[in-house]
Amino acid sequence: MRKKFLITGGTGFIGSAITKKIAEDHDVIVVDNNQRGLNKRLDKIMDRITLFNFDIRNEQSLIDVSKGVDCIIHAAYVNGTETFYKKPKEIVDIAIKGMLNVLKACEVNEIRELILLSSSEVYHHAKIIPTPEEIPLIIPDIKNPRFSYGGGKIASELMLMSHCKENFDKAIIIRPHNVFGPDMGREHVIPQIIDKINTQKKQNNKVLEIQGDGSETRAFIHIEDFVSGFDFAIKKSQHLDIINIGNDKEIKILELVKIIKRLMYSDCEIKSGKLREGSTTRRCPDISKLKNFGFKANVDLEQSLPEIIQWYSNNN
Ligand SMILES: NC(=O)c1ccc[n+]([C@@H]2O[C@H](COP(=O)([O-])OP(=O)(O)OC[C@H]3O[C@@H](n4cnc5c(N)ncnc54)[C@H](O)[C@@H]3O)[C@@H](O)[C@H]2O)c1
């Protein structure tokens, strides 16, 4: 059945990829203030979607554009680890006001489906790795600005659970884990390593300083696999489900740096640096639920890195 979707954050990295997929079969309205998004990411499908550039904290505008919508996908947020430390007030503000406005728009316009993009950051220092969806969510240090981001997501999840039990056919929470691909923004581990190696080459500097000693881990999922996982999740999930979307292949950051260094023909020496206060030392999702829906990752990290390196080297 053809439906009408409203996607907040739809000109962002993940939002634009989801928009392209959903617009294949449905009507799509995108809302993004382009704080980090770019309309040009949607150039190829602009004739098939409706795009509005405004802040989701504008309640009336959000209510107005979501008339007749069947499902809201709420992806707007301020991403990028560096930003968590720099703009905690704005991050919490967008999380809370944004989510309240999304819920209000659902209520006023009788929208019965809601999909919230939360984050792996709600687990922080998870005691169980790979991490299943059921473990307690924590804010390890309320005074550390880093946790504005994860705290905002925990609050958004809580709002979904408390508001959507009744009056919704389906309200679900998706927790993305380290999604990567070309044009993902620069404030993430993979682009940062690429950018550092490019700078180090230009300056003929032989030392590459990383954050931490490289024993920290992540598990990266390519954007194409993420979109496939997202598609499974929205089609197969039940009301109030919570679903990790990620890859369960954990990799040490040192190993990742060595691979990128080799692919970029860099002869620099890797030096340990300071880890940001509150950084997660180990992260890898348990994706059993997603696999039970039929999901399988198809893109290998190492094989896809040349494409990412090329993109970041050509767009700096
Ligand atoms: N990329 C990842 O690995 C990852 C991991 C975990 C969770 N997530 C979540 O997935 C979602 C998409 O992330 P992304 O990587 O595409 O980030 P992104 O920064 O590329 O996209 C977020 C979009 O939201 C928009 N936005 C921010 N504040 C807004 C506001 N007040 N009003 C309207 N639009 C606003 C930005 O302009 C941007 O286009 C976010 O909710 C993010 O927290 C992403």
Side-chain angles (χ1 to χ4, degrees):
M1 194 187 74
R2 197 168 180 92
K3 285 187 188 172
K4 195 182 235 186
F5 284 81
L6 184 140
I7 304 178
T8 73
T11 65
F13 169 57
I14 292 179
S16 59
I18 292 172
T19 299
K20 285 177 202 155
K21 174 74 184 160
I22 301 211
E24 287 172 8
D25 304 307
H26 302 281
D27 298 327
V28 181
I29 297 168
V30 164
V31 174
D32 198 304
N33 67 352
N34 283 346
Q35 173 161 351
R36 279 170 52 95
L38 293 164
N39 288 354
K40 71 173 183 193
R41 286 192 174 119
L42 300 173
D43 269 355
K44 285 188 181 150
I45 55 160
M46 208 53 96
D47 55 338
R48 284 190 280 130
I49 60 164
T50 311
L51 171 64
F52 295 98
N53 289 131
F54 65 82
D55 194 307
I56 50 157
R57 286 170 290 180
N58 184 335
E59 183 189 82
Q60 196 53 51
S61 298
L62 199 63
I63 291 173
D64 289 345
V65 300
S66 55
K67 283 195 173 69
V69 162
D70 301 295
C71 175
I72 296 187
I73 299 176
H74 182 31
Y77 204 29
V78 183
N79 209 355
T81 319
E82 266 178 55
T83 330
F84 311 169
Y85 292 90
K86 286 185 193 150
K87 298 180 177 174
K89 189 175 160 198
E90 187 182 348
I91 287 178
V92 173
D93 202 56
I94 293 171
I96 307 293
K97 288 188 186 145
M99 187 64 186
L100 282 172
N101 288 350
V102 164
L103 291 167
K104 188 76 181 171
C106 289
E107 185 192 325
V108 173
N109 294 313
E110 296 177 3
I111 299 168
R112 300 184 64 86
E113 288 185 30
L114 174 61
I115 298 163
L116 168 67
L117 270 86
S118 179
S119 172
S120 52
E121 286 277 329
V122 297
Y123 301 128
H124 292 299
H125 307 294
K127 290 207 172 83
I128 305 171
I129 308 257
T131 308
E133 290 88 347
E134 290 73 25
I135 70 158
L137 312 183
I138 55 160
I139 301 173
D141 177 1
I142 202 83
K143 288 187 176 171
N144 183 338
R146 184 204 167 86
F147 301 117
S148 56
Y149 179 89
K153 290 292 195 193
I154 292 175
S156 301
E157 290 198 14
L158 193 63
M159 283 191 248
L160 180 143
M161 286 298 166
S162 52
H163 284 63
C164 301
K165 207 163 177 201
E166 279 101 42
N167 302 325
F168 280 79
D169 297 328
K170 185 142 111 179
I172 62 166
I173 293 168
I174 302 284
R175 294 188 184 141
H177 283 63
N178 290 92
V179 189
F180 79 101
D183 196 14
M184 63 188 287
R186 294 200 110 86
E187 306 84 356
H188 300 276
V189 56
I190 293 176
Q192 276 174 350
I193 297 166
I194 298 170
D195 282 350
K196 273 189 182 176
I197 294 181
N198 274 329
T199 311
Q200 166 258 326
K201 277 185 179 173
K202 266 190 217 143
Q203 297 174 347
N204 204 16
N205 177 355
K206 294 285 174 209
V207 180
L208 174 69
E209 188 173 308
I210 58 170
Q211 281 177 36
D213 62 6
S215 63
E216 305 78 18
T217 73
R218 293 293 182 268
F220 297 93
I221 182 167
H222 192 274
I223 186 71
E224 279 172 27
D225 282 334
F226 179 86
V227 171
S228 148
F230 187 82
D231 197 41
F232 275 111
I234 62 172
K235 285 179 179 151
K236 303 274 176 94
S237 57
Q238 306 282 321
H239 184 40
L240 304 182
D241 266 357
I242 303 172
I243 304 139
N244 285 336
I245 301 188
N247 197 316
D248 51 5
K249 269 195 189 167
E250 195 177 359
I251 181 172
K252 286 203 168 99
I253 297 300
L254 186 60
E255 197 188 327
L256 174 72
V257 176
K258 283 181 182 169
I259 296 170
I260 298 179
K261 207 182 106 164
R262 174 167 47 76
L263 292 170
M264 292 181 74
Y265 306 104
S266 161
D267 58 358
C268 63
E269 177 202 333
I270 302 167
K271 193 180 145 212
S272 301
K274 210 169 160 270
L275 207 57
R276 283 202 197 97
E277 206 184 328
S279 286
T280 308
T281 49
R282 231 185 129 190
R283 179 184 297 150
C284 179
D286 180 329
I287 53 165
S288 310
K289 271 193 198 172
L290 196 62
K291 283 182 175 168
N292 285 339
F293 290 156
F295 170 78
K296 191 176 163 294
N298 287 316
V299 186
D300 176 74
L301 173 65
E302 185 165 348
Q303 280 177 10
S304 61
L305 278 172
E307 176 204 13
I308 316 292
I309 292 169
Q310 194 179 20
W311 196 94
Y312 279 94
S313 304
N314 293 343
N315 292 278
N316 56 12

